[in-house]
Amino acid sequence: MARRPRLLGVLIAALALCICALPASAWALSPESFTWTGGTLAASGLSAADWSGTTNWTPEASLSKAPAENETVGKLTFPSLSSSAACKTEPPSDTCYMSTNNVKGLTVNGIEVYGGAPYYITGEAITLGAGGIKSTPAIASSIGPSPTLDLPIKLGAAQSWLIEGGEEGGQLDLAGAVTGAAETLGVELKEGGRLSLENGVEVGNTTIKGANPSLTGAGAGVNGFVDLLHPPVPGASTGTLNSTDLHSVTVEHAAIDGVGSLGSLTLTGGQIQVGNGYPEPGLITVDGALSLDSASVALFTIGEAGTTAGTDYGQLKATGNVNLGGAEMVVLLRPNGPSSCPALKAGDVDTILSTTGSLTGTFAGVPNGTVIETAEEGPECKKAKLVIEYGEHAVTATVLTPAPLNTAAPVLSGTVAVGQTLSCSEGSWANSPSTLTYSWLRGETVITGQTGSTYVVQAADQGQTITCEVTASNAGGQAAAKSSGLAIPPPPPAKIETTKAPAPPPAPTPIPPPRPTPGTAVATGLAKVEGDHALVSLHCTGAGACEGSLKLLYKERLKKVVRRRGKKHVAHITKMVTVGEASFSIAAGGHLTLHVTLTGEGAKLAKKAGRHGLKVSLSGSDVHDSNVRLTESGKPGKGGKGGKGKGHHRGHGARRGGHSHG
């Protein structure tokens, strides 16, 4: 019995030795989390951006200073470093937002990254736990491009990700491969959040949801987007999502777009856009079945005239059965890159959707053979008409000939007397009209039953003006053009038998002159800026008066610096800015100084241009398109002659935005 206490003491001592031998991290109730503080110059051969650098992290506990090999850690947080003077620069120092995992075998429970900072996180592969990924929303003080995760990630558990946009939007780029086919993935997009896939994501069944379920169809993009990125480098891989492991993808009240491939896709109250036009429309391939619903919308892009899928127009392909489900369809006419808007070729057939499986259903309001108009982007794009047809395995869009365009009005000829025949020429037409029809008018009233190219003058026409109208039609639509009028003399006065002196004959009915053709306002090359007004000199040319409206448009070119894989790139963005609007009325041959009220942005641009002047283009109704240079009063610019601009004549609109002085 005396030996038992001694044996117990030995066991207690041994247990104490084992406990003391455990690493400090074993005492933690949960794996330790770390917050990135920005790379600093490190000793012992480490890079400034390495994860093992003990000065690069702020740990939440004092058990260790940095992640270690084959260790499991809690959350890694990559915050805004705007409080650091070095990280406020534009662009910030590489030691701020460059972060390299040099730790092998690391398991991370979760990652949180600030969506308004240009993080580039790369290095060794990690295993990602149930905490998933969270991209926090950017704020107005965000300092650069979106963050990029460019390291291999393996899902170690089923998980959910949150990509939140917010005040300044929010985007996360996944440039590294993501694997983990055994684990399901949920992605929530909130307030315009955007998740861009530049590589392969091959995981379990994936659900992408918008945070606001009341947003559907085209509005689902307000919740956010998942982009299948199409790199500008020829031959580079595009973004994929479950296209190899063939697990399903479900998109609810959110949008998916770009160029790449997916597993079987179900779209519920969402949006899918095939291609983005930069540098070409491209393809989205669904490796499996495709199902849409009536609350969804499918957008297809046409970027060039031609019939090559992926290059001239965007195509949605599937390898399984496709159910269109009454979804809305939009065909967007958008030029490839910075080129001008394409003029589509009549007869071209674009297969916008194809499948090796069966095709059921139609798009909403578009039964077989329906003619639709393209939507267009940019002031130079003109709508085209397409015939939508459904086959057993495809949906096609065939380009129609544009509607006829009159280039010379019909002309009346013949003797203006009762019983004589008048002839109406057909005029001249562009876009190959297939039929021409005629109508005759007495004043403004159509003469019933007269539909030929000739007309015999009737007694009822005396004292009236006769015109003819030709209507040209083809598959693309119709247009009408009217001739000038011919005045038919009034009947002679009746004879009166009387012994009194004959009364003087009645005065002949005056022949109304033909209507003058409306004139066109032409602007000089210079315009003065006084405060928030621009003084534009206009001259009315042509036989008639000039009356209409104009816009001053400025083509603004912007540059944006982005970082990809550690290199800076400059992206060029062009947008049209409306500087000012006004209406005018000028007598034929007259001159006018038009005061155009500048928008706030227009006034700023003019002031910034100073003596060099701000070059703008004119567009509007009854306006000769031209370029005008706006200079501040008393500060003449370099000048410039008005020339043909790129605006378009529009119909008459409401007068607003300025006043004029004759």
Side-chain angles (χ1 to χ4, degrees), residues 453-464:
S453 61
T454 61
Y455 172 71
V456 177
V457 180
Q458 305 171 35
D461 299 327
Q462 296 179 100
Q464 302 288 329

Side-chain angles (χ1 to χ4, degrees), residues 37-61:
T37 57
T40 58
L41 295 176
S44 63
L46 292 177
S47 166
D50 285 346
W51 284 12
S52 63
T54 57
T55 59
N56 292 342
W57 301 94
T58 298
E60 293 185 3

Side-chain angles (χ1 to χ4, degrees), residues 477-550:
Q478 64 180 31
K482 188 183 292 186
S483 72
S484 297
L486 286 180
I488 308 301
K495 294 182 178 180
I496 301 175
E497 297 293 337
T498 178
T499 57
K500 297 181 179 179
T509 302
I511 300 174
R515 296 179 181 176
T517 302
T520 300
V522 179
T524 61
L526 291 176
K528 292 183 178 180
V529 176
E530 294 182 355
D532 62 347
H533 286 76
L535 278 60
V536 180
S537 296
L538 298 177
H539 171 61
C540 182
T541 64
C546 300
E547 182 172 347
S549 61
L550 61 80

Side-chain angles (χ1 to χ4, degrees), residues 241-638:
L241 178 57
N242 292 353
S243 64
T244 299
D245 62 31
L246 302 183
H247 285 150
S248 66
V249 178
T250 301
V251 179
E252 301 177 1
H253 307 287
I256 188 164
D257 69 357
V259 176
S261 55
L262 306 158
S264 59
L265 175 64
T266 300
L267 194 67
T268 304
Q271 172 184 319
I272 183 168
Q273 179 169 341
V274 184
N276 52 25
Y278 303 103
E280 58 192 19
L283 307 171
I284 288 182
T285 300
V286 177
D287 292 308
L290 170 64
S291 178
L292 311 179
D293 74 347
S294 60
S296 297
V297 60
L299 292 90
F300 303 90
T301 303
I302 298 179
E304 294 289 349
T307 59
T308 303
T311 301
D312 299 324
Y313 66 93
Q315 185 184 72
L316 179 59
K317 299 178 64 176
T319 61
N321 295 337
V322 174
N323 184 359
L324 299 178
E328 181 185 358
M329 177 184 67
V330 176
V331 179
L332 184 66
L333 187 59
R334 176 196 285 174
N336 289 350
S339 62
S340 60
C341 206
L344 303 186
K345 181 182 176 182
D348 279 355
V349 179
D350 295 345
T351 303
I352 58 177
L353 186 149
S354 69
T355 180
T356 56
S358 64
L359 174 66
T360 59
T362 63
F363 290 110
V366 188
N368 191 49
T370 300
V371 176
I372 68 168
E373 281 190 331
T374 59
E376 72 281 359
E377 288 193 354
E380 297 180 0
C381 288
K382 295 182 178 180
K383 293 181 179 180
K385 289 190 176 182
L386 310 171
V387 179
I388 304 300
E389 296 178 292
Y390 303 88
E392 186 177 356
H393 303 288
V395 179
T396 60
T398 302
V399 181
L400 288 179
T401 301
L405 177 66
N406 181 254
T407 56
V411 176
L412 271 181
S413 60
T415 302
V416 287
V418 174
Q420 298 298 311
T421 299
L422 303 180
S423 297
C424 180
S425 72
E426 64 182 33
S428 297
W429 300 88
N431 300 333
S432 304
S434 56
T435 60
L436 296 173
T437 59
Y438 296 81
S439 59
W440 294 82
L441 296 89
R442 180 184 297 121
E444 299 297 328
T445 303
V446 175
I447 304 173
T448 304
Q450 300 297 322
T451 58
S453 61
T454 61
Y455 172 71
V456 177
V457 180
Q458 305 171 35
D461 299 327
Q462 296 179 100
Q464 302 288 329
T465 298
I466 299 298
T467 56
C468 72
E469 185 174 67
V470 179
T471 300
S473 305
N474 62 16
Q478 64 180 31
K482 188 183 292 186
S483 72
S484 297
L486 286 180
I488 308 301
K495 294 182 178 180
I496 301 175
E497 297 293 337
T498 178
T499 57
K500 297 181 179 179
T509 302
I511 300 174
R515 296 179 181 176
T517 302
T520 300
V522 179
T524 61
L526 291 176
K528 292 183 178 180
V529 176
E530 294 182 355
D532 62 347
H533 286 76
L535 278 60
V536 180
S537 296
L538 298 177
H539 171 61
C540 182
T541 64
C546 300
E547 182 172 347
S549 61
L550 61 80
K551 283 186 179 181
L552 302 180
L553 301 173
Y554 172 67
K555 182 180 286 186
E556 186 175 15
R557 299 184 182 274
L558 304 175
K559 294 182 178 179
K560 182 178 181 182
V561 178
V562 298
R563 183 181 296 280
R564 292 290 185 276
R565 296 180 176 84
K567 295 184 180 181
K568 301 171 187 175
H569 300 274
V570 176
H572 296 272
I573 302 173
T574 301
K575 70 174 185 178
M576 298 299 295
V577 178
T578 299
V579 176
E581 298 182 58
S583 58
F584 58 88
S585 179
I586 316 172
H591 295 267
L592 174 70
T593 299
L594 183 63
H595 286 218
V596 181
T597 301
L598 299 177
T599 64
E601 186 173 2
K604 290 179 182 178
L605 288 170
K607 183 173 181 63
K608 183 177 179 181
R611 65 184 296 273
H612 296 288
L614 181 69
K615 185 177 180 181
V616 299
S617 62
L618 267 66
S619 71
S621 60
D622 286 354
V623 177
H624 178 75
D625 298 344
S626 59
N627 293 327
V628 175
R629 191 176 297 275
L630 307 183
T631 63
E632 290 191 90
S633 182
K635 298 180 180 180
K638 294 182 179 181

Side-chain angles (χ1 to χ4, degrees), residues 46-217:
L46 292 177
S47 166
D50 285 346
W51 284 12
S52 63
T54 57
T55 59
N56 292 342
W57 301 94
T58 298
E60 293 185 3
S62 58
L63 300 178
S64 62
K65 294 292 185 181
E69 287 190 5
N70 301 315
E71 185 178 42
T72 296
V73 300
K75 182 171 70 173
L76 298 184
T77 301
F78 298 88
S80 170
L81 301 177
S82 58
S83 59
S84 166
C87 299
K88 285 183 179 180
T89 60
E90 186 62 52
S93 168
D94 282 347
T95 58
C96 293
Y97 296 106
M98 284 294 296
S99 182
T100 303
N101 177 23
N102 66 326
V103 180
K104 294 183 178 181
L106 185 64
T107 296
V108 178
N109 183 57
I111 294 175
E112 182 171 336
V113 59
Y114 175 61
Y119 273 105
Y120 187 74
I121 302 169
T122 186
E124 297 286 344
I126 64 169
T127 299
L128 184 61
I133 296 174
K134 179 180 180 181
S135 178
T136 58
I139 58 175
S141 59
S142 59
I143 60 174
S146 56
T148 299
L149 294 179
D150 192 6
L151 73 171
I153 297 174
K154 179 181 179 181
L155 303 190
Q159 56 196 265
S160 296
W161 297 358
L162 174 62
I163 312 298
E164 190 170 358
E167 184 177 347
E168 291 293 312
Q171 180 171 328
L172 180 66
D173 289 354
L174 283 182
V178 181
T179 58
E183 309 298 345
T184 59
L185 174 62
V187 179
E188 182 178 8
L189 302 174
K190 185 176 181 180
E191 296 183 357
R194 187 178 288 266
L195 178 63
S196 297
L197 308 182
E198 299 184 30
N199 210 317
V201 177
E202 300 295 333
V203 295
N205 293 338
T206 300
T207 300
I208 301 164
K209 284 188 176 183
N212 184 353
S214 67
L215 298 173
T216 62

